[in-house]
Amino acid sequence: MKSRMQKLWDKTVPAGGPSPRPDPDAVLRRVNAALDGKPRIRLRRPLKCVLALSAVLLLLLAGTAIAAESIFLGRGVLGAFFGGDGDEYALSIINIKQNSVSDENYTMTVTSSLADKHEAYFTLVIEPKTERAKYFLSGNGEEYFSAPLMFRSTWFGGFSGGINGTSSPDDPDILCLEVRWDGNFGPWKTVYVRMDDMEKGLWLKIPLETASSVKLDIEKADQKKSSPAGGITLKTVEISPLSVHVRYTTNVGGPVLYYLWKDGTLNSFGQLEMHTKNSRGRFLDNGFREIESTWQFGQVQDIRELEAIVFENMAYPLDGGEPYAYEIDPSQSLMPYTLPDGE
């Protein structure tokens, strides 16, 4: 039987022939040597998705272990949800410790996870062990698999988010899943997941190492804007390396925030490639709506380098200092694009 390395080599090298066969221990030593002071990558030989295999091939072809780190993690939560880019800080807050459960039909493994208080992201690999399991994972000809996932946690009971499933390029019977879960995870920091078709009571436990956040009470810091006759009152802003969670009241639209960094750089929502992941609200008696929204960054941000949040020409420092006036230079062209009324 051909090895997985040989199967991949046959698909990618037209001339064929035997595939390179590196010493796994030697590769691991090179990777860990290059990652001195960074999170260690542990290349497990039975890993079924092509993650580790891609890393080894890249080492052979490019001769660099740093690139292997990028490819390995780029197929996890960074590649799935944050554009695949990750600096040293981003890599330091990702959990790549694998955890698995098995029954007679499946093995389910979490391969990477990342979370803050409002969002959790993780990648899963599901390996079928029987023909029956392959049938359910294949979806019987459908785009998605037939056995639904079930979620629970010790803090938040229901699941709200998104799931994307693809077959492994190395083995079409194996399913690779990218999962985003919205919810307040509180102090428990644990999610459980299982397939409905798995052994009853069997759950995969996913401990979440929650990234730290900073919460600003904007309404308290700026009382003169607390009861406007019309417009927006920004109440709180909670910022983490993954997202910005805002709470505000409005009878017009949403708040426009800017991000002032310690080096003097000012960024807008669009420049940071942010997008809304969830939003919920309620109507108030005065005709306003109270809304909570979570905006995800396009890339993981090192908020230790963030000086302040800027809202309506006022800067609110993340260190809790007094707000101060900050006028945005019109030449920076950071204001949102608007269309005039009429024509």
Side-chain angles (χ1 to χ4, degrees):
M1 180 180 293
K2 290 185 178 180
S3 68
R4 297 186 186 281
M5 175 75 82
Q6 185 63 54
K7 289 179 181 178
L8 180 61
W9 190 261
D10 291 342
K11 293 178 181 178
T12 55
V13 180
S19 67
R21 297 184 180 276
D23 179 354
D25 293 330
V27 171
L28 185 58
R29 284 195 298 271
R30 291 175 61 192
V31 171
N32 285 336
L35 300 181
D36 188 29
K38 300 181 182 179
R40 300 297 189 187
I41 293 177
R42 302 187 181 276
L43 301 180
R44 298 191 176 188
R45 291 171 185 167
L47 185 63
K48 297 302 183 182
C49 277
V50 76
L51 310 180
L53 184 58
S54 298
V56 172
L57 281 176
L58 195 62
L59 279 171
L60 293 169
L61 300 175
T64 169
I66 296 298
E69 173 191 65
S70 176
I71 291 296
F72 183 86
L73 293 178
R75 297 296 297 270
V77 290
L78 286 184
F81 302 103
F82 293 94
D85 295 336
D87 57 14
E88 182 176 352
Y89 176 76
L91 298 178
S92 73
I93 63 174
I94 294 174
N95 184 0
I96 58 172
K97 182 179 180 181
Q98 296 179 21
N99 187 27
S100 298
V101 294
S102 295
D103 63 7
E104 63 180 10
N105 291 308
Y106 305 95
T107 295
M108 177 184 287
T109 303
V110 56
T111 55
S112 62
S113 62
L114 184 60
D116 61 14
K117 287 177 59 177
H118 300 282
E119 301 271 339
Y121 307 89
F122 43 93
T123 51
L124 302 171
V125 173
I126 305 177
E127 179 183 1
K129 298 165 67 175
T130 63
E131 291 302 317
R132 176 179 181 277
K134 291 179 182 180
Y135 173 85
F136 277 105
L137 286 187
S138 70
N140 192 25
E142 300 295 331
E143 290 184 0
Y144 199 50
F145 63 105
S146 302
L149 288 179
M150 301 176 66
F151 299 85
R152 68 177 176 88
S153 82
T154 52
W155 181 260
F156 182 74
F159 173 77
S160 173
I163 304 172
N164 180 46
T166 58
S167 296
S168 165
D170 190 36
D171 187 335
D173 292 329
I174 293 173
L175 190 66
C176 301
L177 297 179
E178 302 162 353
V179 182
R180 175 182 59 84
W181 190 356
D182 307 327
N184 188 344
F185 296 96
W188 300 105
K189 305 178 183 178
T190 304
V191 166
Y192 299 86
V193 59
R194 69 184 302 272
M195 291 177 59
D196 187 46
D197 188 47
M198 294 182 77
E199 177 185 316
K200 185 177 180 180
L202 184 64
W203 292 86
L204 173 62
K205 180 179 179 180
I206 306 176
L208 300 178
E209 298 179 5
T210 306
S212 60
S213 62
V214 177
K215 189 172 184 178
L216 301 176
D217 193 335
I218 306 297
E219 184 179 34
K220 182 177 180 180
D222 197 351
Q223 292 292 340
K224 68 179 182 294
K225 296 179 180 177
S226 62
S227 301
I232 301 169
T233 296
L234 184 60
K235 293 192 171 185
T236 61
V237 175
E238 185 172 8
I239 184 167
S240 83
L242 314 183
S243 65
V244 177
H245 186 78
V246 293
R247 186 168 63 92
Y248 60 96
T249 60
T250 180
N251 67 350
V252 285
V256 178
L257 304 185
Y258 299 91
Y259 304 87
L260 179 62
W261 301 89
K262 292 179 180 179
D263 65 1
T265 301
L266 186 71
N267 287 138
S268 67
F269 187 99
Q271 286 177 324
L272 295 177
E273 300 177 338
M274 302 178 74
H275 44 280
T276 301
K277 299 308 296 185
N278 64 71
S279 184
R280 54 186 176 271
R282 64 187 181 94
F283 283 98
L284 305 177
D285 293 338
N286 60 3
F288 281 69
R289 290 176 298 151
E290 183 176 67
I291 297 176
E292 290 190 51
S293 292
T294 301
W295 305 335
Q296 181 189 306
F297 287 117
Q299 312 293 335
V300 174
Q301 302 293 327
D302 186 351
I303 63 171
R304 298 173 300 179
E305 301 303 318
L306 187 61
E307 170 69 23
I309 298 296
V310 179
F311 173 64
E312 293 189 351
N313 295 320
M314 290 292 294
Y316 299 88
L318 265 66
D319 64 6
E322 288 294 318
Y324 57 91
Y326 186 96
E327 187 172 352
I328 297 176
D329 183 353
S331 66
Q332 291 182 282
S333 301
L334 294 173
M335 296 301 291
Y337 182 79
T338 58
L339 292 174
D341 294 334
E343 295 184 3

